[in-house]
Structure formats: C-alpha cells, structure tokens
Amino acid sequence: GVQALQANVLGEKNVAIGNNALNINTSSFNTAIGHGAGALNNGFGNVFLGKQAGAQETGNNRLHIANAPYASQAAARTSSLIY
C-alpha cells in the first residue's frame, strides 16, 4: 500500500500490507495488514490485523486485531477486538 514501511528505520524482516501499514517503524519481525496497522510501531515481533490496529504500539510480541483507531496505546489495549 501507499506509504507502507515508508519510514522504516533500522527494521528488518517486516511485512506491511495496506496504506500506511508500519509507516513509521523502528523495529523488526512485525506483520501489519490493514490501513494504518502498526503505523507508529517501535516494538518487535508484533502482529497487527485491521484498520489502525496497534497503530501506537510500543511493546513487543503483541497481537492486535482491531477495526478502528484509538486515541492512545492504553485505549487500544482495552478496546481492541483482540489484544
């Protein structure tokens, strides 16, 4: 997608499918599928599925399944379909 992994800094072995998926990424071994999934990620080993799932995640080895943006990482962790 447009701007997927656009600003990938130091990250390797990532997969991004969808506009802005893993857009600003600073780590490795992440998978993001969906518009804006993992967009501001700096954790490693994460999986993001759905629109803006885990968009602000800073932790490691997380699974986010979501279909809407959240104002903060804390809100995403309590409101995602699966976290």
Side-chain angles (χ1 to χ4, degrees):
V2 175
Q3 296 181 335
L5 283 167
Q6 180 184 27
N8 185 49
V9 180
L10 305 173
E12 60 182 15
K13 299 181 177 115
N14 293 299
V15 176
I17 301 171
N19 293 348
N20 296 313
L22 291 176
N23 178 262
I24 300 173
N25 178 63
T26 60
S27 197
S28 302
F29 309 108
N30 296 292
T31 301
I33 300 173
H35 173 77
L40 302 174
N41 174 59
N42 66 8
F44 66 87
N46 294 309
V47 177
F48 308 111
L49 304 173
K51 180 182 177 187
Q52 296 185 338
Q56 300 177 41
E57 183 59 61
T58 59
N60 302 317
N61 302 310
R62 310 278 190 192
L63 167 64
H64 281 270
I65 300 177
N67 61 357
Y70 297 100
S72 68
Q73 184 180 59
R77 289 182 175 173
T78 59
S79 303
S80 290
L81 298 173
I82 293 178
Y83 164 77

